[in-house]
Amino acid sequence: MSYQPNMIMKLCRQVFALAIIFTATPSFASEELVRQEPDTVIFAMMSGKCSTLKVAGRDFACRAVAFFQTEEGRANFTIALDDPGDDSHIITFSGDNGRRPEANLYELPIDRMLLKTKDRPKADGLPVPAIESTAGLCKQVGNFVTLELSSISCTAVDRNGKKYELQYESDGAPMAVRRIKRMRVGSPAVSPFDDVK
């Protein structure tokens, strides 16, 4: 499968931009106190399109979709929105206790949404996310060993009844996965990329 050089460069720029956002942004911060985010242990960038992306009743397109997991086990599906009025508009479906009930399926219960916009307070020059408690689920389908993603679907509802939805389909390009090995205490969290070396 051949890719046009400008498409590859565009994907590389998106991967780089998201990697900076994920590694440099403090998360789970209150307005009064900013805590350091746990280190990311795995990062996966997907290539495809969002057929559905709804944020509290508003429809958006997406610029990029990525998965990352922290050393504490929290997993996140992060979407950079194509919002002409806000180039900092990013949402994250975040949860713990992900599982792989089948070889080609990863399910993540969602307990919070992280919402970043240009109007949020900043730490180190980047927006600190607003955190909304939610109930929901993300499902990632694909062959994780060969890095061939098929789709991601996420739904979550916050305590005020606002709904967040994602329907994402891969364009067939393999995922770009970066694993950072770290020593952990206790049993490791389940990742969709457990078999990836």
Side-chain angles (χ1 to χ4, degrees), residues 120-140:
R120 294 288 305 149
K122 294 189 174 37
D124 296 325
L126 298 170
V128 175
I131 301 169
E132 293 292 336
S133 295
T134 60
L137 182 69
C138 284
K139 292 183 180 183
Q140 181 176 342

Side-chain angles (χ1 to χ4, degrees), residues 28-39:
F28 315 128
S30 69
E31 298 293 328
E32 300 82 28
L33 176 65
V34 176
R35 292 188 296 151
Q36 189 65 29
E37 174 183 330
D39 288 336

Side-chain angles (χ1 to χ4, degrees), residues 171-182:
D171 64 7
M175 292 178 277
V177 176
R178 300 291 175 260
R179 181 179 292 278
I180 303 164
K181 298 207 184 249
R182 289 198 165 273

Side-chain angles (χ1 to χ4, degrees), residues 16 49-50 68 117 156 192:
F16 180 72
K49 66 176 185 161
C50 299
F68 73 102
T117 64

